[in-house]
Amino acid sequence: MENKALFEKLSSRLDELSNLPKLDDNKSISSLIEEKGFSRREFMGWAGAMTSMLMLPASFTPLVAKAAEMADRLPLVWLHMAECTGCSESLLRTATPSIDSLIFDYISLEYHETIMSAAGWQAEHNLESAMKKYKGKYILMVEGGIPHGESDFYLTIGAHGKTGEKIARDASENAAAIFAIGTCSSFGGVQAAYPNPTNATALSNITDKPVINVPGCPPSESNIVGTLLHFILYGTLPALDAYNRPKWAYGLRIHDACERRGRFDAGEFVQQFGDEGAKDGYCLYKVGCKGPYTFNNCSKQRFNQGTSWPVQAGHGCMGCSEPDFWDKMGIVHEPLGNRLYHTVFGGLGSDATADKIGVGILTVTAVGIAAHAAISLVKKPKEW
Amino acid sequence: MIKLIEKIEGEAKLNFNFKDEKIEFVDIEFMSTRNIENILKGKPAFDALVINPRVCGICGHAHLIATVKALESCYENLQISNKAKSLRELTLNFELIQNHFKWFYLTMMPLFGHKQEVLKATYPSQLMGKAIALFGGQYPHTSYAVVGGVVCDITEMDIIKLQHYIDKTVQFVEENLLKMDSKSFSTCKSVESVLKYEGDLPDILRQINAEELLEHGKSYDRFISFGESSYFKKGKSIKTRVNNNISIDNVKESEMATSFAKNVSYKDKYYEVGPLARAMVNKNQLILDAHKKYGDSIFSRIIARVCEISQLLLHSTKLIKELDLNEPSYIEPSINIKQLNASGYSAVEAARGTLIHKVEIENGIIKNYEIITPTQWNLSGGTREKMGVSQKAMIGLCDVKTAELVFKTFDVCSVCTTH
Ligand code: SF4
Ligand code: SF4
């Protein structure tokens, strides 16, 4: 019943969208898919996968497919701030070529510095005119932390030498929806790590508009595309967690759906890279896995078209979708439970710090993990 | 006239000075910085293995490998298995390959007036991304290389998958880039034998000829390459005279007043790095032929970069055949890093050229960290008296559009440069 109401709601949203003009009258998404040699079946297969990722029942697949086909009614502006371009790179590797096509050929990417063909003055002009022409209608995606306040000169962009902070603020003003793509734009990212020399900050700190964070360093391609599809389908903001992350992607901890979880529960730990346990796929907690403290869907979505993810390759999760993980979750190869932080909190232990910054869940988890790890100790842990 | 150059994974500002309708000088300016070197200071040394790939999302893997090697050089008698060495080299090769595809199809082709064919760029680079992820867990930004080896334990199954990705990529090359069999291509010794064939590469090369651009983009004809591997040699080449005896001690970084990027020189001279430099040092016959005919021009730069795709694919297949899966992936260092007071450095060949990392550690904590990126070499902004490599290559051109083409043949990356 509930599903039926939702189905109807989403359908009418898509009907509404279909009345909007297309960005390019001579192209349609479905004809392009065909042109590229993808069968309807393949496309529906992809839509099915997306449907389950968005936590919708399988019967919604046709709706998701339709949403993808509607993507060319919504202009998208993608800004680069202080970053490494890894998020764009992740996007360039989007799952299955049909989705690439969706992103690059079908959706009017009005402004994306890395891949658009315009450059320089022309590019700046494109941005300005996209913002004017689609005022209130465009989706804004921002990648990168933003040097802020007196330090904003650490990033100036474009021929007029505007600061990144100003551009991001202006673009946020009239966007239909704002997504902070990647940990940098969500929380400041690597450049905001102590001592944060450029005073980089999160997008949400420079605009009053609601910002949806899609963190990860980088976020998987499916989380980026899923975010877009979700917006097309619902037209509203998704359910969010305390850090404004969509719950459909960041609702569970890495640890909750980890393929090594059985090993953890059995107390079977890799004590050191390369040991027998490592060969047998034991849990990586003792070599620094931060999966128990990290909310993301990597274990389910994986990266590079579902090829793998860090824990599968034998390296612990480093918590890249959590705020300030650089400062709060290092040392990378040590468990969080038994070490001191390198933070402004003056080197308090993890549990104490977690308390101070009010992340209750982290405390509870850390205590639980520490206890568990102690009980299950089979070998002497590495000295630190 | 000021021109902004984009699509270089960030932005650079070029200020063109004209005299008698010819470019007489170009100021190069980078307008952002993130100061990663300062962020590294005071952090536990191994944290650099996670932070540094984030210097750049385009060549992050090269930064990982450079970091791990710089840290390893701080140890005495550290053991690394051949398997771990080969795996690192393979993933680094794949990163180079995927970069070259993107550069050719996303950046170069449109500059020659062709439609930007995004799918041609993404399809093969996705394959290479998957190949890296197979070992590294994800790409970009893996941290699978650690001091002492790598963390993955690969199986025969992984090797089969890997070979499949490589074969598919080779097939793409043969169907699109150069319509000939890759093996015969690898033995081509003259430009003419390449130009006989069809494909996107020969098309562009022919266009350079037709549009009389053959003389464009010449610089000092000095090349350098520090990163050694089972494929690349270290050395410098002044015109075609190669000297393999070079030392990192002679590499110098210097600040620029107008830009956030630093200049890099070797014995106070600017050198070109990248695929052309590597091919010159390695004495690659085909590229030597291109160089003999057209010097260090855009023609040679383009053919060198694209040819590296095929060569690295072939070489990677050879490396895979020689892999011994029974060797350990990781051998624990005999001393704990916490007891280490040392300094070290590394040099690896990233897609765009030599990348150098230098580190100093005290009781396992980073005291100092320096990163010298490939683009810094090619884009050093010198003075009128002593210009940087790409600056020199743009002098005398009549229009800004051609200058942009020349500039981009160096495959510049501002993300790295503004670390
Ligand atoms: S979030 Fe990560 S991948 Fe994205 S720009 Fe920042 S450092 Fe790069
Ligand atoms: S600690 Fe890490 S490796 Fe172990 S089960 Fe949890 S997420 Fe997986």
Side-chain angles (χ1 to χ4, degrees):
Chain A
M1 196 55 214
E2 213 179 275
N3 278 348
K4 198 168 163 250
L6 181 62
F7 193 94
E8 271 159 22
K9 196 179 131 207
L10 301 188
S11 306
S12 61
R13 152 88 179 156
L14 293 179
D15 287 343
E16 241 171 70
L17 272 185
S18 65
N19 292 328
L20 289 178
K22 284 197 284 185
L23 294 162
D24 180 347
D25 280 337
N26 303 321
K27 275 187 204 164
S28 94
I29 286 187
S30 29
S31 65
L32 275 166
I33 290 174
E34 238 169 78
E35 209 179 279
K36 296 280 178 201
F38 292 103
S39 68
R40 188 72 194 159
R41 229 178 112 192
E42 281 167 299
F43 177 62
M44 293 310 285
W46 167 81
M50 277 292 162
T51 309
S52 90
M53 187 181 81
L54 293 171
M55 296 186 172
L56 290 168
S59 58
F60 279 54
T61 303
L63 276 190
V64 174
K66 194 168 170 202
E69 288 172 326
M70 288 298 152
D72 62 351
R73 323 269 160 154
L74 292 171
L76 174 65
V77 168
W78 181 293
L79 295 181
H80 286 268
M81 296 287 132
E83 38 81 3
C84 72
T85 316
C87 301
S88 292
E89 282 291 301
S90 182
L91 183 66
L92 281 167
R93 295 185 174 71
T94 317
T96 80
S98 65
I99 307 311
D100 279 322
S101 328
L102 283 172
I103 297 292
F104 299 111
D105 287 344
Y106 312 155
I107 297 175
S108 173
L109 211 42
E110 286 292 325
Y111 186 82
H112 188 297
E113 284 165 20
T114 313
I115 52 175
M116 67 186 176
S117 21
W121 297 98
Q122 179 65 41
E124 198 169 353
H125 176 75
N126 281 8
L127 173 61
E128 279 160 12
S129 60
M131 279 163 52
K132 214 184 280 160
K133 187 163 154 210
Y134 302 111
K135 196 170 169 184
K137 296 203 191 87
Y138 59 86
I139 299 173
L140 175 66
M141 293 197 167
V142 177
E143 174 181 3
I146 303 168
H148 172 52
E150 308 225 315
S151 310
D152 64 347
F153 60 87
Y154 280 119
L155 175 72
T156 63
I157 304 171
H160 294 111
K162 278 193 208 156
T163 66
E165 183 176 355
K166 168 124 182 52
I167 294 172
R169 187 175 287 138
D170 290 351
S172 303
E173 208 42 52
N174 294 308
I178 308 173
F179 297 98
I181 302 294
T183 297
C184 295
S185 162
S186 300
F187 306 124
V190 61
Q191 46 278 316
Y194 180 83
N196 193 354
T198 60
N199 199 22
T201 193
L203 178 63
S204 58
N205 287 337
I206 62 148
T207 171
D208 302 334
K209 309 269 159 186
V211 174
I212 296 162
N213 292 328
V214 186
C217 192
S220 64
E221 62 265 21
S222 34
N223 281 2
I224 302 176
V225 176
T227 299
L228 187 67
L229 280 182
H230 191 286
F231 181 73
I232 295 172
L233 273 173
Y234 289 81
T236 53
L237 307 185
L240 302 173
D241 74 358
Y243 293 121
N244 273 10
R245 300 176 290 201
K247 279 194 181 154
W248 62 263
Y250 301 88
L252 287 179
R253 290 175 306 168
I254 296 287
H255 189 62
D256 295 329
C258 176
E259 63 221 28
R260 298 185 188 230
R261 178 58 186 266
R263 302 300 197 165
F264 177 90
D265 291 342
E268 294 170 335
F269 294 99
V270 173
Q271 303 290 339
Q272 169 195 113
F273 295 125
D275 67 9
E276 285 307 309
K279 290 192 189 106
D280 288 341
Y282 282 16
C283 166
L284 298 160
Y285 179 75
K286 288 186 186 170
V287 284
C289 182
K290 310 297 189 291
Y293 321 94
T294 307
F295 289 79
N296 206 340
N297 56 359
C298 311
S299 59
K300 285 196 282 173
Q301 291 306 323
R302 293 162 208 263
F303 292 84
N304 305 92
Q305 307 179 32
T307 306
S308 187
W309 68 295
V311 168
Q312 184 175 338
H315 194 282
C317 158
M318 47 218 148
C320 80
S321 50
E322 296 304 309
D324 307 325
F325 76 101
W326 304 105
D327 295 324
K328 291 187 193 140
M329 290 203 187
I331 298 170
V332 295
H333 297 146
E334 291 298 316
L336 196 54
N338 22 342
R339 63 159 298 269
L340 302 179
Y341 282 142
H342 173 91
T343 60
V344 284
F345 299 106
L348 292 170
S350 62
D351 305 344
T353 311
D355 233 10
K356 285 235 158 55
I357 56 174
V359 190
I361 186 106
L362 197 72
T363 323
V364 177
T365 315
V367 171
I369 296 274
H372 181 95
I375 295 163
S376 62
L377 208 68
V378 269
K379 283 187 205 161
K380 201 169 150 286
K382 269 194 291 173
E383 297 273 310
W384 246 100
Chain B
M1 175 184 183
I2 293 178
K3 185 164 171 72
L4 285 166
I5 303 281
E6 252 131 57
K7 279 215 296 143
I8 53 169
E9 329 295 7
E11 235 188 20
K13 201 193 252 171
L14 302 192
N15 189 354
F16 293 101
N17 296 272
F18 281 88
K19 199 177 167 189
D20 302 332
E21 292 178 14
K22 283 193 169 146
I23 294 174
E24 168 222 28
F25 187 66
V26 189
D27 280 308
I28 304 176
E29 213 182 295
F30 287 96
M31 299 108 77
S32 67
T33 180
R34 289 175 296 146
N35 247 299
I36 303 267
E37 286 157 344
N38 276 331
I39 288 167
L40 286 164
K41 273 185 210 155
K43 299 251 190 319
F46 288 171
D47 279 13
L49 294 167
V50 173
I51 293 175
N52 288 350
R54 273 88 183 171
V55 165
C56 184
I58 324 290
C59 65
H61 198 61
H63 283 279
L64 172 68
I65 303 299
T67 308
V68 85
K69 288 192 171 175
L71 290 172
E72 284 172 352
S73 76
C74 294
Y75 290 77
E76 275 167 43
N77 312 320
L78 192 82
Q79 265 183 294
I80 311 285
S81 70
N82 285 328
K83 179 172 109 183
K85 279 187 201 153
S86 297
L87 292 183
R88 289 176 183 181
E89 196 176 316
L90 280 166
T91 45
L92 191 56
N93 285 353
F94 301 149
E95 180 173 79
L96 266 59
I97 296 167
Q98 61 89 32
N99 173 81
H100 297 344
F101 280 119
K102 282 190 286 171
W103 170 82
F104 186 76
Y105 283 112
L106 294 180
T107 306
M108 275 300 119
M109 292 285 271
L111 285 173
F112 282 95
H114 296 250
K115 188 172 141 260
Q116 193 179 48
E117 292 188 79
V118 174
L119 283 178
K120 278 198 183 176
T122 52
Y123 171 73
S125 57
Q126 279 169 353
L127 287 170
M128 289 291 98
K130 283 189 188 186
I132 300 173
L134 207 54
F135 297 158
Q138 74 182 92
Y139 183 73
H141 295 349
T142 151
S143 289
Y144 92 112
V146 292
V147 168
V150 293
V151 298
C152 60
D153 256 297
I154 52 162
T155 60
E156 284 297 344
M157 198 55 209
D158 295 321
I159 297 296
I160 293 169
K161 280 194 211 156
L162 186 69
Q163 194 55 56
H164 170 76
Y165 295 145
I166 292 181
D167 293 345
K168 282 272 175 202
T169 313
V170 169
Q171 191 189 341
F172 175 89
V173 172
E174 293 177 353
E175 283 169 8
N176 295 279
L177 216 40
L178 187 60
K179 296 189 180 167
M180 75 186 285
D181 160 53
S182 287
K183 287 239 167 59
S184 345
F185 173 48
S186 69
T187 55
C188 271
K189 289 195 173 59
S190 77
V191 171
E192 281 66 38
S193 53
V194 172
L195 289 174
K196 277 203 310 244
Y197 289 86
E198 291 301 308
D200 296 331
L201 171 66
D203 277 354
I204 293 290
L205 296 177
R206 279 189 286 265
Q207 202 175 334
I208 293 178
N209 187 13
E211 291 177 17
E212 298 180 353
L213 299 169
L214 281 170
E215 285 301 309
H216 287 5
K218 291 190 176 170
S219 187
Y220 290 111
D221 218 349
R222 281 198 301 252
F223 311 96
I224 206 157
S225 174
F226 277 96
E228 285 173 287
S229 70
S230 71
Y231 189 71
F232 296 124
K233 289 194 195 92
K234 152 179 149 178
K236 62 176 185 174
S237 179
I238 302 195
K239 298 199 188 313
T240 51
R241 217 180 56 241
V242 176
N243 175 356
N244 297 104
N245 195 10
I246 53 170
S247 155
I248 257 172
D249 297 337
N250 297 322
V251 176
K252 221 172 54 208
E253 256 194 318
S254 54
E255 304 249 356
M256 274 160 79
T258 51
S259 176
F260 278 129
K262 288 183 192 157
N263 286 353
V264 179
S265 56
Y266 183 81
K267 285 197 177 165
D268 290 324
K269 284 201 169 81
Y270 294 123
Y271 281 80
E272 171 167 353
V273 297
L276 177 57
R278 294 195 274 262
M280 294 303 288
V281 172
N282 271 26
K283 299 204 167 142
N284 176 298
Q285 294 298 312
L286 173 62
I287 306 305
L288 278 177
D289 184 58
H291 178 267
K292 189 165 112 204
K293 288 169 180 141
Y294 312 115
D296 57 339
S297 63
I298 59 172
F299 186 99
S300 304
R301 241 166 249 133
I302 292 175
I303 191 172
R305 190 172 296 273
V306 176
C307 285
E308 212 177 71
I309 295 177
S310 293
Q311 290 150 7
L312 287 177
L313 283 168
L314 279 180
H315 184 71
S316 298
T317 303
K318 183 171 160 271
L319 278 178
I320 295 170
K321 290 218 173 84
E322 290 163 3
L323 264 185
D324 177 358
L325 293 189
N326 292 321
E327 286 184 27
S329 296
Y330 171 89
I331 302 170
E332 202 194 12
S334 54
I335 18 171
N336 187 317
I337 186 136
K338 264 200 138 179
Q339 293 150 3
L340 218 59
N341 292 301
S343 58
Y345 70 83
S346 66
V348 304
E349 283 307 307
R352 298 164 166 89
T354 294
L355 169 68
I356 295 173
H357 279 215
K358 295 183 190 168
V359 63
E360 234 179 279
I361 39 186
E362 229 174 62
N363 301 323
I365 301 289
I366 297 170
K367 227 186 122 207
N368 208 13
Y369 208 107
E370 261 175 72
I371 298 171
I372 298 176
T373 68
T375 300
Q376 279 177 264
W377 289 92
N378 288 341
L379 255 61
S380 285
T383 56
R384 278 166 200 261
E385 293 69 45
K386 203 171 126 194
M387 286 182 250
V389 173
S390 64
Q391 277 177 318
K392 173 122 166 70
M394 288 184 279
I395 300 304
L397 297 173
C398 305
D399 68 285
V400 166
K401 210 170 156 255
T402 319
E404 183 184 348
L405 170 65
V406 167
F407 185 73
K408 285 189 176 170
T409 56
F410 289 97
D411 195 10
V412 290
C413 170
S414 82
V415 175
C416 259
T417 307
T418 56
H419 59 273

